[in-house]
Amino acid sequence: MDSLVDADLTALLRERGYRVTRPRRAVWEALSAAEDHLTVEQVCARIRDAGHDVDTASVYRTLDLLEELGLARSSRLGDSDASRWEVAHPDEHFHLVCTSCGRVDHHIGSLVAQVRDHLDAGHGFAVDEVELTVTGRCSECR
Amino acid sequence: MDSLVDADLTALLRERGYRVTRPRRAVWEALSAAEDHLTVEQVCARIRDAGHDVDTASVYRTLDLLEELGLARSSRLGDSDASRWEVAHPDEHFHLVCTSCGRVDHHIGSLVAQVRDHLDAGHGFAVDEVELTVTGRCSECR
DNA sequence: TTGATTGCAAATGCTTTGCAGCCGC
DNA sequence: GCGGCTGCAAAGCATTTGCAATCAA
């Protein structure tokens, strides 16, 4: 699996004139393998667990780069003050944050697209990004 | 105007067993008078402009209190890392952030309610808060 | 070789906290 | 007067930055 993931990253980096380095591969692998959203600290931890060691500053720099490349996406979820990162999925989705168990679910649907269409069509606002976060209690905690 | 605004705050504070102090009134007045969203630093500045002087820490504490009372609302808008505060309007709205001029518009509509209904009805998720932020370019900047 | 990239450490900026003194009740 | 609140200063975190050393190309 890593090979495919790696191929994507490598190709994109080269294409844009960036170098393919170990920190960059490590961050990307940690992020791709993650089920949930990761803080920078968690990304570092997973890289360490995988036997590598990458400086926190480099992780920040790499995540910013991945975002610029369209491969990663950051959001501020819940009440924590640390940004959380995930792989940028092509489909638009939003987040359901449970205030009780802390779980973050993805919810894929037409809602985000509806917002986009609504604004594009009638309000002269050129939508770039739609960020929708819903907090509450999930089905298991309610 | 201030008198009405003040009356609301005073009554609510007393009711909940909190004291009515000058910093609390000053923060509330600054926030109520503001058209747009204010950072903590901006709240301090406006209070100073009004001839008072309040410590930043107290402003933070007061804003947290106002949020708990349901009078104020905070959000992280755009790319800035400082929270921005506004009076908690009873109607649900979302924010349109222009990445070019930085302006933040309120947009009132049924969209937020739609999201809420959608989730409440079919997904077993007890919605507490819906936060919707749209970034892009406003009609004047596009 | 060459310059982009990293690691390290220091700096920055927002926010929180401990505590002594003050002031609303 | 009592105890909640404030102001002050220091601490806490997440994030950024300067710079010399490193390493991909």
Side-chain angles (χ1 to χ4, degrees):
Chain A
M1 274 300 155
D2 279 358
S3 55
L4 241 181
V5 165
D6 259 10
D8 284 356
L9 177 69
T10 301
L12 198 50
L13 284 174
R14 291 239 168 83
E15 191 181 310
R16 303 280 198 98
Y18 293 108
R19 293 187 177 174
V20 180
T21 66
R22 216 192 17 165
R24 284 174 182 167
R25 274 202 305 262
V27 169
W28 179 240
E29 275 166 26
L31 204 62
S32 318
E35 295 285 311
D36 43 352
H37 304 78
L38 301 181
T39 62
V40 169
E41 218 44 64
Q42 289 174 318
V43 172
C44 289
R46 301 210 175 182
I47 291 173
R48 245 178 276 117
D49 290 350
H52 306 292
D53 192 34
V54 173
D55 190 71
T56 312
S58 299
V59 174
Y60 276 101
R61 286 185 281 229
T62 300
L63 286 170
D64 285 344
L65 177 59
L66 292 177
E67 185 167 49
E68 183 196 318
L69 293 174
L71 293 176
R73 175 164 145 57
S74 76
S75 34
R76 295 204 129 116
L77 299 172
D79 44 1
S80 85
D81 29 290
S83 299
R84 296 186 161 269
W85 293 84
E86 65 182 313
V87 171
H89 299 289
D91 50 289
E92 295 196 287
H93 64 275
F94 59 91
H95 294 129
L96 293 173
V97 183
C98 178
T99 51
S100 177
C101 65
R103 212 174 74 182
V104 178
D105 275 356
H106 283 185
H107 193 88
I108 298 169
S110 57
L111 282 168
V112 175
Q114 275 175 37
V115 172
R116 188 182 286 273
D117 292 347
H118 178 67
L119 290 169
D120 267 339
H123 297 271
F125 191 92
V127 177
D128 180 28
E129 195 183 348
V130 177
E131 179 134 16
L132 174 56
T133 305
V134 180
T135 55
R137 299 182 141 242
C138 70
S139 50
E140 288 174 18
C141 291
R142 68 185 306 177
Chain B
M1 276 295 160
D2 280 357
S3 53
L4 241 181
V5 166
D6 258 8
D8 284 354
L9 177 69
T10 301
L12 196 50
L13 284 174
R14 291 240 168 82
E15 191 179 310
R16 303 280 198 99
Y18 294 108
R19 293 187 178 172
V20 180
T21 65
R22 216 193 16 165
R24 285 174 181 167
R25 274 202 304 263
V27 169
W28 178 240
E29 275 166 27
L31 203 62
S32 321
E35 295 284 311
D36 43 354
H37 303 78
L38 301 181
T39 62
V40 169
E41 218 44 64
Q42 287 173 320
V43 172
C44 289
R46 302 210 175 180
I47 292 173
R48 243 177 277 117
D49 290 351
H52 306 292
D53 191 35
V54 174
D55 189 71
T56 313
S58 300
V59 174
Y60 276 101
R61 286 185 281 232
T62 299
L63 286 170
D64 286 344
L65 177 60
L66 292 177
E67 185 167 49
E68 184 196 317
L69 293 174
L71 293 175
R73 174 164 144 57
S74 75
S75 34
R76 296 208 129 117
L77 299 172
D79 44 1
S80 84
D81 29 291
S83 299
R84 295 184 162 271
W85 293 84
E86 64 182 313
V87 171
H89 299 289
D91 50 291
E92 296 197 284
H93 64 275
F94 59 91
H95 295 128
L96 292 173
V97 183
C98 179
T99 51
S100 177
C101 64
R103 211 174 74 183
V104 178
D105 275 357
H106 282 186
H107 193 88
I108 298 170
S110 56
L111 281 169
V112 175
Q114 275 176 37
V115 172
R116 189 182 284 274
D117 292 346
H118 178 66
L119 290 170
D120 268 339
H123 296 272
F125 191 91
V127 177
D128 181 29
E129 194 184 348
V130 177
E131 177 133 20
L132 175 54
T133 305
V134 180
T135 56
R137 299 181 142 243
C138 71
S139 50
E140 288 175 18
C141 291
R142 67 186 304 180

